Amino acid sequence: MSLSLVVFYLLGAVCLGGAVGVVVSRNVVHSALLLLVSLMGVAGLYLLLLAEFLALVQVLIYGGAITIIVLFVIMLTRVQEFRAMKDNPQWPLAVVAALAMFVLLAAAMIKGAPSETTRQSVSFEELGSSLFTQWAVPFEVASLVLLVALIGAIVIAREGGEE
Amino acid sequence: MSLIHFQVLSAALFSIGVYGVLARRSAVMVLLALELMLNAVNVNLIAFAAYGEQVQATGQVIAIFVITVAAAEVGLAMAIILRLFRDRASVDVDEVDLMKW
Amino acid sequence: MLFQIETVTNSGVQWAWLAPTLSASAFCAIVVLGRFLPKQGAFLSLLAIMAGFGVFWYVLSEFLSSGGGIFSVDWFTVGESTFSWGIIVDELSVVMLGLVTFVALMVQMYSLGYMKNQEGSFGWYFAVHSLFAAAMLTLVLADNFLLMYIAWELVGACSYLLIGFWYHRRSAAEAAKKAFITTRIGDVGLLIGILLLFNETGTFDITTIFHIAEQGGIGSGTLTAAVLLIFLGAMGKSAQFPLHVWLPDAMEGPTPVSALIHAATMVVAGVFLVARVFPLFVMSDTAMLVVALIGLITALITAAMALVMTDLKRVLAYSTISHLGFMMLALGSFGFTAAIFHLVAHAFAKALLFLGAGSIAHGTGDKRDIREMGGLWKRMPVTSITFGIGLLALGGIPPLSGFFSKDEILVAVLDGRGPLFFVLTLVAALMSALYMARLLFLVVLGNLKTENEHAHESPWVMTVPLIALAVLALGAGLLAPGLIPGYDGFGNWLFFEEPEAYHINFLVMVISVVLSIGGFAIGWALYSRKLLSADRIRERFSGLHRVLVNKYYLDDLYQWVINRVVLAFARFMALFDRIVVNDVGVNGTGRSVFLSAWRLRYLETGKVYNYALVMVVGVVAVALIWWLALPYA
């Protein structure tokens, strides 16, 4: 068992453990923090896949931005209600559906697995030039999406809106 | 360690996210599970980018877009949840059932 | 040479299309602008038909100098079939063109006087007259069945509008409906016949169909069926037994309309149709026999009815049907020329008679019963003399037009169908002379009744057409023999297959003259001298008289069929519609959707996670199906 495989299993365990925690925990603050753990595991996986830039972005955006927003929202809403919030009555069905989904995906992936190749790194240069030449238009559109989402969020969340 | 490891891992992560979306009652919790699903997709994308036949940045670029959209989505969703909480004094999705018969 | 017409591109006769176009334009103009014009635009209609009459003379001169042809343009293409519309200019259509425009002109001019009290709808009356003329002109000029059928239906629609012109009178509205529905029965036959021919040949073009049929391109059974169906259409329009019942009722319309319908349009459309597709008829012996038989039966039974009717216009109506029967009989006896000649001669005389009847009604204050008339020549000389000329002409007194045309028919029947038909035709001819004599002695001659002391002559707009028509009724017969150099007689000009020089069958002519004069003599004895008592004869044959007065109970039979069969079926269909279509079908669909929705709406929980669950299950299911059902995946 190579070192990288050991690291993979460790990170995978962190990832999945955190994720299970997110969906099982009754406390929403715990969930949010466990999500952070899980996403940091994913960042580790990115490193393992030689995608350093993505790992960095993952840490910055999920760790720095998204988790903070979620915590803010939790703070702004009533925390005591979250603490006792139960799952909804269809959760056994949800378990079955999720398992079915996993089996299906895994089976399809194993059946259709491509031939063995080795990992290759994509350099920063390559990523940057690709992003700003080949993908320039979608990139701009993405920035527009962010802008619209920002404005929308402000309009929706503003005190005393139209209603 | 090979592609299939990452793929199965992402499938597991995705399924856990699906469960979370389906089973939780708090809108915030549903949103967190949604993030898990998005990340599962990203893992898949980057794994394919790394294990591709020839080196190309496309997988990573699209992963960046996914992250962008996810950030936008979280911002909007949180605004909606805040609004919901102010209007209804609750974030329980059970209470948001205007589409009921 | 008739029916062997070449397509020509440039000739003066092609301007014949102007005639129907002008009248149709007059219709549009009067309908749209009529209310702003003096006399509600009636003069437009008159001008259009006058111009049409002028076009006829131009076309006739061009036709005589350079011959006719077919002029058509492509209309539209469906699949492999190209539909054209165009005109055919041959002897037949030139004759019809002249006849229609002349009679329509006379009738419209006369209507100016007759209808002058129609304040509100004066313009509309003339507009429909224009449309009527346009439709009829299109019909006679059409070079393909499609255009012809359109014009055919337009003629029917216009007759409906004009018969029901006084629609506030219940009887007029009923008569209009009766005319429309009865002719409709025939029209359906015509349509099926046309489509049958189209199915066989892939074209509506009349001459092309002739060529294909000549080369045996149409099976004989199909041909007979198609031709008989076309004849059914002609029977409806030309009021042949047993579809003749609408024409007497059509007297409910204004009298000039009756003149138009009986002389130039509508009823002659049927005869014209048979003449136009005559080459197809002669290919089927069965069809020819049916045409001759129907014509003979019609001529006989309606002539008998004309003898007993007391309403002036009804007598004339039955006489029209009888003469149409003669024309059909002539066609069925291969007497193409005789039929068309009789059509023309009869048109002049009958238009004259109807306009005269209208003038009489106008002068006597709307009298219609012939028993209340008599001695009118003392008060209405012009009307009476012209009316009398019309009566003598149709009664077959030589040398008036009816004598020549009837004589030709008799010859044709004797040659084409043999002695039995000939004798029966003679009987019908005798009756025809007799009822004309009856009108002559009861209406025109005789003693003036006291209540008619104040009868007065009609204004000049009404008498001028009478005189013009009387001249033609007098003299048109002289067209039959070729009396002037360079003109070899009508038969040498308009014929089917080979020229027929005017020939005199001496025996036939003698019989014909004896019968005509004998008919009038009997009439004189019965109605003027009272040598024989009409009343006694009526009592002697009271059963027969009752049958005749009741129109052979045909109307009652049709009424019974309508009441018992049609209405019963209609009631059943209404019930079917209400219960099966409406309650079960339409409302049932709605109710079942409503009820199932009432139950199923509980699926709409309004909870997002329920929807999401269903979505995930759906995704898994679709993926599984795709994967398992498609082996290559």
Side-chain angles (χ1 to χ4, degrees):
Chain A
M1 198 161 35
S2 67
L3 182 62
S4 58
L5 198 58
V6 174
V7 175
F8 172 78
Y9 280 126
L10 272 176
L11 285 172
V14 170
C15 229
L16 293 181
V20 169
V22 168
V23 297
V24 170
S25 165
R26 295 241 180 272
N27 188 321
V28 73
V29 180
H30 293 176
S31 277
L33 293 174
L34 282 167
L35 178 70
L36 186 60
V37 171
S38 178
L39 296 188
M40 288 311 108
V42 171
L45 286 175
Y46 290 171
L47 280 178
L48 209 54
L49 287 165
L50 309 177
E52 305 89 344
F53 179 69
L54 261 295
L56 198 63
V57 168
Q58 177 85 355
V59 172
L60 275 177
I61 291 181
Y62 281 103
I66 291 178
T67 315
I68 300 302
I69 293 178
V70 172
L71 286 175
F72 260 107
V73 169
I74 292 167
M75 215 167 67
L76 288 170
T77 54
R78 260 183 301 177
V79 182
Q80 60 270 32
E81 189 183 322
F82 291 122
R83 204 167 285 151
M85 189 160 266
K86 295 191 182 83
D87 286 350
N88 67 44
Q90 71 169 3
W91 72 268
L93 286 173
V95 172
V96 176
L99 273 177
M101 182 73 103
F102 173 70
V103 171
L104 185 72
L105 284 175
M109 284 160 172
I110 289 167
K111 190 161 182 290
S115 54
E116 286 288 303
T117 47
T118 48
R119 286 174 293 167
Q120 285 161 318
S121 155
V122 179
S123 69
F124 277 131
E125 262 174 56
E126 227 176 314
L127 184 59
S129 68
S130 175
L131 197 56
F132 290 107
T133 55
Q134 192 188 353
W135 295 91
V137 174
F139 182 81
E140 293 303 327
V141 173
S143 67
L144 205 65
V145 168
L146 270 180
L147 181 66
V148 171
L150 188 66
I151 297 170
I154 292 169
V155 170
I156 290 170
R158 200 169 46 158
E159 275 296 342
E162 297 88 282
E163 287 175 65
Chain B
M1 188 181 67
S2 63
L3 182 59
I4 194 68
H5 288 94
F6 289 96
Q7 282 186 304
V8 172
L9 180 75
S10 86
L13 204 55
F14 188 82
S15 302
I16 291 167
V18 167
Y19 168 77
V21 168
L22 294 183
R24 311 303 297 230
R25 272 170 81 175
S26 161
V28 179
M29 301 275 214
V30 171
L31 208 67
L32 297 181
L34 216 57
E35 291 303 320
L36 286 177
M37 287 166 74
L38 283 169
N39 269 277
V41 172
N42 269 356
V43 169
N44 216 357
L45 279 171
I46 292 170
F48 270 100
Y51 283 98
E53 294 279 326
Q54 67 260 68
V55 181
Q56 51 186 356
T58 308
Q60 293 202 15
V61 170
I62 292 183
I64 289 173
F65 288 147
V66 171
I67 291 172
T68 314
V69 173
E73 176 237 325
V74 168
L76 264 181
M78 285 305 159
I80 291 171
I81 290 169
L82 264 183
R83 183 87 211 180
L84 198 67
F85 177 73
R86 272 205 227 111
D87 290 352
R88 304 210 158 203
S90 165
V91 291
D92 189 345
V93 287
D94 269 1
E95 313 229 334
V96 190
D97 55 1
L98 276 180
M99 289 198 292
K100 191 166 74 169
W101 68 84
Chain C
M1 68 186 218
L2 184 67
F3 307 118
Q4 288 169 357
I5 308 150
E6 297 307 311
T7 303
V8 190
T9 49
N10 201 3
S11 167
V13 293
Q14 64 178 312
W15 292 104
W17 65 267
L18 268 177
T21 312
L22 282 170
S23 281
S25 314
F27 166 75
C28 297
I30 296 174
V31 166
V32 177
L33 303 170
R35 71 192 70 173
F36 307 116
L37 297 171
K39 285 249 167 200
Q40 298 187 17
F43 64 92
L44 283 177
S45 170
L46 217 58
L47 281 179
I49 201 71
M50 225 180 270
F53 192 49
V55 168
F56 157 68
W57 285 109
Y58 175 69
V59 168
L60 180 66
S61 69
E62 286 287 320
F63 181 76
L64 290 178
S65 63
S66 59
I70 294 173
F71 313 92
S72 72
V73 288
D74 283 352
W75 186 6
F76 60 90
T77 303
V78 176
E80 290 171 3
S81 312
T82 299
F83 299 90
S84 62
W85 58 347
I87 58 172
I88 195 167
V89 181
D90 59 4
E91 288 85 352
L92 184 60
S93 54
V94 169
V95 167
M96 293 302 291
L97 186 64
L99 178 71
V100 173
T101 49
F102 178 69
V103 174
L105 176 62
M106 289 300 116
V107 168
Q108 291 194 16
M109 187 173 161
Y110 177 92
S111 297
L112 280 180
Y114 190 84
M115 300 297 284
K116 66 172 183 294
N117 297 327
Q118 288 292 323
E119 286 303 327
S121 39
F122 193 67
W124 173 240
Y125 174 83
F126 279 92
V128 179
H129 258 290
S130 267
L131 187 61
F132 210 165
M136 192 65 199
L137 290 170
T138 312
L139 176 63
V140 300
L141 288 172
D143 79 329
N144 65 71
F145 277 122
L146 199 58
L147 189 58
M148 192 185 247
Y149 186 75
I150 293 169
W152 182 268
E153 291 293 354
L154 256 180
V155 167
C158 289
S159 71
Y160 169 81
L161 289 174
L162 285 176
I163 293 168
F165 184 70
W166 288 318
Y167 55 85
H168 44 82
R169 235 167 44 195
R170 190 179 162 77
S171 58
E174 295 283 340
K177 266 191 289 180
K178 191 173 178 181
F180 195 70
I181 293 167
T182 312
T183 52
R184 203 91 269 281
I185 294 170
D187 294 351
V188 172
L190 174 62
L191 183 61
I192 298 172
I194 290 174
L195 293 179
L196 214 56
L197 286 177
F198 180 75
N199 188 39
E200 285 293 302
T201 62
T203 178
F204 284 121
D205 195 65
I206 292 174
T207 38
T208 314
I209 289 177
F210 289 165
H211 288 309
I212 293 172
E214 249 167 42
Q215 288 149 13
I218 306 175
S220 67
T222 317
L223 185 72
T224 304
V227 161
L228 283 177
L229 283 165
I230 290 175
F231 182 59
L232 185 63
M235 280 164 67
K237 274 275 190 295
S238 283
Q240 297 295 296
F241 174 85
L243 296 180
H244 65 273
V245 292
W246 66 269
L247 193 57
D249 288 18
M251 293 304 108
E252 290 298 336
T255 306
V257 171
S258 305
L260 191 63
I261 287 178
H262 284 251
T265 57
M266 197 69 183
V267 294
V268 299
V271 179
F272 169 80
L273 178 69
V274 176
R276 175 55 87 208
V277 289
F278 204 57
L280 295 185
F281 275 88
V282 294
M283 287 177 211
S284 164
D285 291 337
T286 323
M288 288 300 271
L289 186 62
V290 169
V291 172
L293 266 178
I294 293 282
L296 184 63
I297 293 170
T298 309
L300 274 173
I301 68 164
T302 53
M305 274 193 277
L307 283 174
V308 299
M309 291 294 155
T310 52
D311 183 319
L312 175 57
K313 286 176 73 181
R314 272 181 191 270
V315 174
L316 293 177
Y318 281 115
S319 127
T320 303
I321 304 175
S322 177
H323 281 274
L324 289 167
F326 280 130
M327 295 172 209
M328 288 296 184
L329 175 59
L331 285 171
S333 312
F334 305 91
F336 182 79
T337 311
I340 300 303
F341 192 67
H342 191 58
L343 193 162
V344 175
H346 169 260
F348 293 140
K350 194 46 70 69
L352 170 62
L353 286 178
F354 269 107
L355 294 184
S359 181
I360 289 170
H362 190 262
T364 59
D366 259 340
K367 283 222 162 48
R368 307 185 68 169
D369 195 322
I370 54 174
R371 288 167 304 191
E372 296 173 8
M373 300 171 184
L376 291 175
W377 61 277
K378 289 169 187 158
R379 288 285 177 275
M380 314 174 69
V382 180
T383 303
S384 294
I385 290 169
T386 50
F387 194 73
I389 289 171
L391 290 175
L392 292 176
L394 274 190
I397 297 293
L400 278 65
S401 59
F403 163 73
F404 287 96
S405 59
K406 202 178 284 181
D407 190 52
E408 285 199 36
I409 289 179
L410 288 173
V411 172
V413 170
L414 185 59
D415 290 350
R417 288 287 164 206
L420 180 61
F421 273 71
F422 180 66
V423 171
L424 289 173
T425 314
L426 287 178
V427 173
L430 176 66
M431 283 196 280
S432 150
L434 193 55
Y435 60 69
M436 286 305 171
R438 182 166 172 252
L439 290 184
L440 182 69
F441 294 117
L442 282 183
V443 177
V444 180
L445 304 174
N447 299 320
L448 189 64
K449 299 253 183 353
T450 45
E451 69 257 35
N452 291 333
E453 280 298 333
H454 302 291
H456 56 86
E457 188 54 90
S458 302
W460 68 270
V461 277
M462 289 167 73
T463 50
V464 166
L466 288 179
I467 295 166
L469 285 165
V471 168
L472 280 170
L474 263 176
L478 301 177
L479 287 174
L483 294 179
I484 47 171
Y487 177 70
D488 302 332
F490 196 69
N492 267 322
W493 188 62
L494 189 151
F495 51 82
F496 177 69
E497 280 179 343
E498 56 196 44
E500 302 168 30
Y502 182 76
H503 56 280
I504 297 169
N505 186 325
F506 198 71
L507 180 68
V508 171
M509 186 181 261
V510 168
I511 294 174
S512 164
V513 171
V514 167
L515 278 180
S516 299
I517 295 178
F520 274 87
I522 296 172
W524 176 75
L526 270 174
Y527 302 109
S528 187
R529 287 289 104 182
K530 313 278 193 209
L531 294 176
L532 296 165
S533 167
D535 294 329
R536 183 134 0 117
I537 296 175
R538 191 177 307 139
E539 274 163 33
R540 186 79 181 275
F541 300 100
S542 64
L544 181 62
H545 182 258
R546 206 162 47 243
V547 169
L548 288 178
V549 167
N550 286 309
K551 309 162 194 167
Y552 303 94
Y553 297 101
L554 270 179
D555 278 349
D556 299 308
L557 174 67
Y558 291 164
Q559 196 63 48
W560 186 86
V561 168
I562 289 168
N563 286 349
R564 292 297 160 86
V565 182
V566 178
L567 285 185
F569 186 67
R571 267 194 289 276
F572 169 73
M573 288 312 285
L575 209 65
F576 180 84
D577 178 65
R578 210 158 35 242
I579 293 175
V580 177
V581 177
N582 189 51
D583 289 357
V584 177
V586 178
N587 286 354
T589 310
R591 193 170 299 134
S592 65
V593 170
F594 184 77
L595 286 178
S596 55
W598 192 258
R599 303 270 166 227
L600 287 172
R601 66 178 188 155
Y602 294 108
L603 284 178
E604 296 292 325
T605 57
K607 297 192 190 328
V608 182
Y609 47 78
N610 289 147
Y611 300 147
L613 178 66
V614 174
M615 199 170 101
V616 169
V617 170
V619 167
V620 172
V622 168
L624 266 180
I625 289 166
W626 192 26
W627 194 16
L628 298 179
L630 304 177
Y632 54 83

